[in-house]
Amino acid sequence: MTTLAATCLPQVPPERLRTVAVAAEESGLAELWLWEDCFWGGAMTIASAVLAWTDRLAVGIGVLPVPLRNVALTAMEAAALQRMFPGRITVGVGHGVQDWMGQVGERAASPLTLLGEYLQALRGLLDGERLTVAGRYVQLDGVALDLPPVPPPPVFAAATGPRTLEVSGRYADGTVLDSASTTPERLRAARQATGQARAAAGRGGPHPIVVYLLTVTGPDAAQRLASMGRAGTAAVAGGADEVAEAVRYWAAAGADKVVLHPDAENRDPEAFVRFAAEQVQPLLD
Protein backbone atom coordinates (compact mmCIF):
# COMPACT_ATOMS: atom_id res chain seq x y z
CA MET A 1 0.00 0.00 0.00
CA THR A 2 1.29 3.42 -0.92
CA THR A 3 1.98 5.76 1.99
CA LEU A 4 0.61 9.30 1.77
CA ALA A 5 2.76 11.99 3.37
CA ALA A 6 3.02 15.75 3.25
CA THR A 7 5.90 18.16 3.51
CA CYS A 8 6.65 21.40 5.27
CA LEU A 9 8.67 23.67 3.01
CA PRO A 10 12.06 24.94 4.23
CA GLN A 11 10.78 28.50 3.81
CA VAL A 12 8.35 28.11 6.73
CA PRO A 13 9.81 30.14 9.64
CA PRO A 14 11.17 27.92 12.44
CA GLU A 15 9.02 29.61 15.08
CA ARG A 16 5.93 28.37 13.22
CA LEU A 17 6.98 24.73 12.97
CA ARG A 18 5.52 23.59 16.28
CA THR A 19 1.99 24.39 15.13
CA VAL A 20 2.64 22.55 11.86
CA ALA A 21 3.90 19.48 13.74
CA VAL A 22 0.91 19.52 16.09
CA ALA A 23 -1.49 19.87 13.15
CA ALA A 24 0.14 16.91 11.42
CA GLU A 25 -0.07 14.78 14.56
CA GLU A 26 -3.64 15.73 15.45
CA SER A 27 -4.92 15.18 11.92
CA GLY A 28 -3.43 11.68 11.73
CA LEU A 29 -0.86 12.35 9.02
CA ALA A 30 1.36 9.30 8.63
CA GLU A 31 4.60 11.11 7.80
CA LEU A 32 5.84 14.70 7.65
CA TRP A 33 8.74 15.20 5.25
CA LEU A 34 11.33 17.98 5.39
CA TRP A 35 14.23 18.93 3.23
CA GLU A 36 17.25 21.18 3.55
CA ASP A 37 17.56 24.07 1.10
CA CYS A 38 20.26 26.69 1.40
CA PHE A 39 20.02 28.89 3.35
CA TRP A 40 16.97 28.18 5.45
CA GLY A 41 16.77 26.14 8.67
CA GLY A 42 18.87 23.02 9.24
CA ALA A 43 16.78 19.91 8.61
CA MET A 44 18.29 17.80 11.40
CA THR A 45 17.55 20.50 13.97
CA ILE A 46 14.00 20.90 12.67
CA ALA A 47 13.43 17.13 12.57
CA SER A 48 14.53 16.71 16.17
CA ALA A 49 12.12 19.42 17.29
CA VAL A 50 9.20 17.99 15.30
CA LEU A 51 9.83 14.54 16.75
CA ALA A 52 9.99 15.94 20.28
CA TRP A 53 6.78 17.92 19.83
CA THR A 54 4.85 14.82 18.73
CA ASP A 55 4.34 11.28 19.98
CA ARG A 56 3.52 9.27 16.87
CA LEU A 57 4.35 11.26 13.76
CA ALA A 58 7.09 9.85 11.53
CA VAL A 59 9.55 12.30 9.94
CA GLY A 60 11.40 11.94 6.66
CA ILE A 61 14.34 14.14 5.69
CA GLY A 62 14.42 14.25 1.95
CA VAL A 63 17.12 15.38 1.56
CA LEU A 64 20.32 16.68 3.16
CA PRO A 65 23.04 18.01 0.78
CA VAL A 66 26.07 15.88 1.57
CA PRO A 67 28.81 18.41 0.64
CA LEU A 68 27.68 20.53 3.61
CA ARG A 69 28.02 17.73 6.17
CA ASN A 70 30.86 15.50 7.25
CA VAL A 71 29.53 11.97 7.11
CA ALA A 72 30.51 11.25 10.72
CA LEU A 73 28.40 14.20 11.88
CA THR A 74 25.39 13.04 9.88
CA ALA A 75 25.79 9.55 11.32
CA MET A 76 25.99 10.94 14.87
CA GLU A 77 22.85 13.03 14.40
CA ALA A 78 20.90 10.26 12.68
CA ALA A 79 21.89 7.77 15.36
CA ALA A 80 20.76 10.12 18.12
CA LEU A 81 17.38 10.70 16.47
CA GLN A 82 16.81 6.98 15.96
CA ARG A 83 17.70 6.19 19.57
CA MET A 84 15.54 8.99 20.97
CA PHE A 85 12.60 8.38 18.62
CA PRO A 86 12.87 4.73 17.48
CA GLY A 87 11.37 3.94 14.11
CA ARG A 88 10.16 7.47 13.43
CA ILE A 89 13.01 8.89 11.32
CA THR A 90 14.11 8.36 7.72
CA VAL A 91 17.26 10.17 6.61
CA GLY A 92 17.70 11.09 2.97
CA VAL A 93 20.82 12.51 1.35
CA GLY A 94 21.69 13.96 -2.04
CA HIS A 95 24.60 15.62 -3.78
CA GLY A 96 23.06 19.08 -3.37
CA VAL A 97 22.37 21.98 -5.72
CA GLN A 98 25.76 22.69 -7.20
CA ASP A 99 25.39 26.48 -7.33
CA TRP A 100 24.63 26.53 -3.60
CA MET A 101 27.50 24.21 -2.86
CA GLY A 102 29.76 26.57 -4.78
CA GLN A 103 28.57 29.49 -2.64
CA VAL A 104 29.89 27.81 0.50
CA GLY A 105 33.09 26.50 -1.07
CA GLU A 106 32.01 22.85 -1.08
CA ARG A 107 31.25 22.15 -4.73
CA ALA A 108 32.48 18.67 -5.61
CA ALA A 109 34.17 18.01 -8.92
CA SER A 110 32.36 14.65 -9.02
CA PRO A 111 29.07 14.81 -7.07
CA LEU A 112 28.32 11.21 -8.02
CA THR A 113 31.59 9.93 -6.52
CA LEU A 114 30.93 11.92 -3.37
CA LEU A 115 27.40 10.53 -3.01
CA GLY A 116 28.56 6.94 -3.46
CA GLU A 117 31.35 7.26 -0.92
CA TYR A 118 29.07 9.07 1.50
CA LEU A 119 26.26 6.52 1.33
CA GLN A 120 28.61 3.61 1.93
CA ALA A 121 30.21 5.30 4.91
CA LEU A 122 26.93 6.53 6.40
CA ARG A 123 25.30 3.13 6.24
CA GLY A 124 28.42 1.47 7.64
CA LEU A 125 28.62 3.83 10.60
CA LEU A 126 24.91 3.48 11.36
CA ASP A 127 25.33 -0.31 11.19
CA GLY A 128 27.90 -0.07 13.98
CA GLU A 129 31.00 -0.66 11.87
CA ARG A 130 34.41 0.84 12.57
CA LEU A 131 35.57 2.40 9.31
CA THR A 132 38.86 3.43 7.82
CA VAL A 133 38.21 5.03 4.45
CA ALA A 134 40.58 6.82 2.09
CA GLY A 135 38.22 7.95 -0.66
CA ARG A 136 38.34 10.90 -2.98
CA TYR A 137 35.99 12.81 -0.68
CA VAL A 138 35.35 10.70 2.41
CA GLN A 139 38.28 10.09 4.75
CA LEU A 140 37.80 8.22 8.02
CA ASP A 141 40.47 6.80 10.32
CA GLY A 142 39.12 4.13 12.63
CA VAL A 143 35.79 5.92 13.11
CA ALA A 144 32.88 4.19 14.84
CA LEU A 145 29.81 5.44 16.66
CA ASP A 146 30.00 4.90 20.40
CA LEU A 147 26.19 4.74 20.52
CA PRO A 148 25.06 3.14 17.25
CA PRO A 149 21.30 2.80 16.77
CA VAL A 150 19.78 -0.67 16.76
CA PRO A 151 18.23 -1.01 14.29
CA PRO A 152 19.69 1.77 12.14
CA PRO A 153 17.29 4.25 10.51
CA PRO A 154 16.60 3.91 6.78
CA VAL A 155 18.94 5.92 4.57
CA PHE A 156 17.46 7.15 1.29
CA ALA A 157 19.13 8.97 -1.59
CA ALA A 158 17.86 11.56 -4.05
CA ALA A 159 18.43 10.45 -7.62
CA THR A 160 17.39 11.36 -11.15
CA GLY A 161 19.87 10.21 -13.78
CA PRO A 162 20.76 6.56 -14.47
CA ARG A 163 24.18 6.68 -12.80
CA THR A 164 22.81 8.27 -9.63
CA LEU A 165 19.94 5.78 -9.58
CA GLU A 166 22.49 2.98 -9.80
CA VAL A 167 24.35 4.41 -6.79
CA SER A 168 21.10 4.75 -4.85
CA GLY A 169 20.03 1.22 -5.63
CA ARG A 170 23.42 -0.18 -4.67
CA TYR A 171 23.96 1.70 -1.41
CA ALA A 172 20.71 3.35 -0.20
CA ASP A 173 17.61 1.86 1.37
CA GLY A 174 15.26 3.84 -0.86
CA THR A 175 15.20 6.52 -3.55
CA VAL A 176 13.62 10.00 -3.51
CA LEU A 177 12.41 11.45 -6.82
CA ASP A 178 11.87 15.18 -7.29
CA SER A 179 8.48 16.27 -8.60
CA ALA A 180 9.83 18.60 -11.30
CA SER A 181 11.73 15.92 -13.18
CA THR A 182 9.54 12.89 -12.52
CA THR A 183 7.31 11.46 -15.21
CA PRO A 184 5.65 8.02 -15.22
CA GLU A 185 8.33 6.79 -17.60
CA ARG A 186 11.14 8.07 -15.39
CA LEU A 187 9.49 6.55 -12.34
CA ARG A 188 9.34 3.14 -13.99
CA ALA A 189 12.93 3.54 -15.20
CA ALA A 190 14.01 4.46 -11.66
CA ARG A 191 12.40 1.34 -10.22
CA GLN A 192 14.09 -0.81 -12.84
CA ALA A 193 17.51 0.84 -12.42
CA THR A 194 17.52 0.65 -8.63
CA GLY A 195 16.26 -2.93 -8.73
CA GLN A 196 19.00 -4.00 -11.09
CA ALA A 197 21.68 -2.25 -9.03
CA ARG A 198 20.36 -3.79 -5.86
CA ALA A 199 20.43 -7.26 -7.37
CA ALA A 200 23.97 -6.73 -8.70
CA ALA A 201 25.07 -5.73 -5.20
CA GLY A 202 23.46 -8.82 -3.68
CA ARG A 203 21.03 -6.81 -1.60
CA GLY A 204 17.61 -8.22 -0.81
CA GLY A 205 14.43 -6.72 0.54
CA PRO A 206 12.39 -3.75 -0.66
CA HIS A 207 13.76 -0.48 -1.96
CA PRO A 208 10.94 2.09 -1.61
CA ILE A 209 10.53 4.82 -4.21
CA VAL A 210 9.38 8.19 -2.86
CA VAL A 211 7.73 10.64 -5.26
CA TYR A 212 7.22 14.27 -4.35
CA LEU A 213 3.90 15.48 -5.81
CA LEU A 214 3.52 19.22 -6.30
CA THR A 215 0.02 19.93 -5.00
CA VAL A 216 -1.56 23.25 -5.92
CA THR A 217 -4.82 24.04 -4.14
CA GLY A 218 -7.21 26.97 -3.95
CA PRO A 219 -9.67 28.66 -6.30
CA ASP A 220 -7.04 29.50 -8.92
CA ALA A 221 -5.08 26.26 -8.59
CA ALA A 222 -5.36 25.17 -12.22
CA GLN A 223 -4.17 28.52 -13.54
CA ARG A 224 -1.25 28.63 -11.11
CA LEU A 225 -0.14 25.15 -12.07
CA ALA A 226 -0.50 25.86 -15.80
CA SER A 227 1.77 28.89 -15.44
CA MET A 228 4.55 26.64 -14.10
CA GLY A 229 4.87 24.56 -17.28
CA ARG A 230 4.70 21.28 -15.39
CA ALA A 231 2.64 19.20 -17.83
CA GLY A 232 3.46 15.50 -17.58
CA THR A 233 5.42 15.79 -14.34
CA ALA A 234 4.43 14.90 -10.79
CA ALA A 235 2.05 17.79 -10.20
CA VAL A 236 -1.67 18.22 -9.57
CA ALA A 237 -4.10 21.08 -9.10
CA GLY A 238 -7.50 20.98 -7.44
CA GLY A 239 -9.26 19.71 -4.36
CA ALA A 240 -9.15 16.46 -2.44
CA ASP A 241 -10.74 14.38 -5.23
CA GLU A 242 -8.21 15.50 -7.83
CA VAL A 243 -5.28 15.05 -5.45
CA ALA A 244 -6.41 11.57 -4.38
CA GLU A 245 -6.73 10.58 -8.04
CA ALA A 246 -3.20 11.83 -8.68
CA VAL A 247 -1.87 9.86 -5.71
CA ARG A 248 -3.52 6.70 -7.07
CA TYR A 249 -2.03 7.43 -10.48
CA TRP A 250 1.53 7.72 -9.17
CA ALA A 251 1.06 4.70 -6.94
CA ALA A 252 -0.01 2.67 -9.97
CA ALA A 253 3.10 3.93 -11.79
CA GLY A 254 5.30 2.52 -9.01
CA ALA A 255 5.55 5.00 -6.13
CA ASP A 256 5.70 3.46 -2.66
CA LYS A 257 5.32 6.84 -0.95
CA VAL A 258 3.73 9.97 -2.35
CA VAL A 259 4.69 13.16 -0.54
CA LEU A 260 2.43 16.12 -1.20
CA HIS A 261 4.22 19.45 -1.26
CA PRO A 262 2.57 22.84 -1.72
CA ASP A 263 3.56 25.45 -4.23
CA ALA A 264 5.41 28.55 -3.08
CA GLU A 265 2.18 30.58 -3.04
CA ASN A 266 0.74 28.45 -0.25
CA ARG A 267 0.98 30.41 3.00
CA ASP A 268 -0.80 27.99 5.34
CA PRO A 269 1.32 24.90 6.10
CA GLU A 270 -0.94 23.86 8.99
CA ALA A 271 -3.98 23.75 6.70
CA PHE A 272 -1.98 21.90 4.05
CA VAL A 273 -1.01 18.99 6.32
CA ARG A 274 -4.57 18.79 7.62
CA PHE A 275 -5.84 18.77 4.03
CA ALA A 276 -3.59 15.81 3.23
CA ALA A 277 -4.59 13.81 6.30
CA GLU A 278 -8.24 14.73 6.75
CA GLN A 279 -9.43 15.17 3.16
CA VAL A 280 -7.12 13.22 0.83
CA GLN A 281 -6.23 10.20 2.98
CA PRO A 282 -9.85 9.09 3.57
CA LEU A 283 -10.42 8.97 -0.18
CA LEU A 284 -7.47 6.60 -0.51
CA ASP A 285 -8.60 4.40 2.38
Side-chain angles (χ1 to χ4, degrees):
M1 178 178 177
T2 298
T3 299
L4 177 69
T7 193
C8 183
L9 297 178
Q11 293 85 345
V12 175
E15 61 271 19
R16 193 172 175 180
L17 292 172
R18 184 167 190 154
T19 61
V20 178
V22 170
E25 174 103 329
E26 290 180 346
S27 64
L29 187 71
E31 298 181 5
L32 183 67
W33 278 66
L34 313 165
W35 73 77
E36 190 168 80
D37 271 353
C38 297
F39 297 96
W40 306 94
M44 284 296 208
T45 300
I46 292 170
S48 64
V50 169
L51 289 163
W53 288 327
T54 56
D55 297 316
R56 170 205 56 80
L57 184 67
V59 173
I61 301 176
V63 294
L64 301 169
V66 299
L68 283 176
R69 296 175 171 275
N70 184 283
V71 68
L73 176 61
T74 300
M76 291 161 58
E77 293 180 321
L81 290 178
Q82 174 71 348
R83 291 177 70 103
M84 290 189 292
F85 310 103
R88 294 174 57 199
I89 185 70
T90 297
V91 178
V93 299
H95 53 55
V97 177
Q98 296 309 295
D99 286 346
W100 288 338
M101 300 304 100
Q103 281 184 269
V104 298
E106 296 294 343
R107 185 167 188 160
S110 176
L112 185 66
T113 301
L114 168 58
L115 184 61
E117 292 181 359
Y118 200 99
L119 281 167
Q120 292 178 77
L122 180 57
R123 291 190 67 247
L125 291 170
L126 291 173
D127 284 341
E129 299 175 14
R130 182 172 298 277
L131 299 181
T132 295
V133 178
R136 180 174 177 182
Y137 296 103
V138 174
Q139 290 91 36
L140 300 171
D141 184 6
V143 175
L145 296 177
D146 289 315
L147 293 171
V150 181
V155 174
F156 285 26
T160 300
R163 295 175 63 201
T164 314
L165 287 165
E166 192 274 335
V167 166
S168 181
R170 183 174 291 271
Y171 302 122
D173 301 312
T175 295
V176 180
L177 302 181
D178 175 71
S179 68
S181 60
T182 299
T183 64
E185 295 75 21
R186 287 186 173 180
L187 172 53
R188 288 188 283 269
R191 181 164 292 284
Q192 181 178 17
T194 55
Q196 290 175 343
R198 196 169 180 83
R203 300 187 63 194
H207 183 93
I209 303 292
V210 178
V211 172
Y212 276 101
L213 176 64
L214 173 62
T215 304
V216 185
T217 58
D220 59 347
Q223 293 85 350
R224 279 157 49 208
L225 180 58
S227 70
M228 299 178 196
R230 292 289 304 273
T233 65
V236 61
D241 289 333
E242 290 79 12
V243 176
E245 182 59 31
V247 172
R248 286 190 287 266
Y249 175 83
W250 289 100
D256 298 291
K257 295 186 181 186
V258 176
V259 183
L260 308 184
H261 79 88
D263 65 310
E265 297 300 314
N266 189 298
R267 296 290 188 266
D268 196 340
E270 295 90 350
F272 187 79
V273 297
R274 289 190 181 278
F275 167 76
E278 297 174 351
Q279 297 185 47
V280 179
Q281 183 63 63
L283 298 177
L284 302 175
D285 295 338

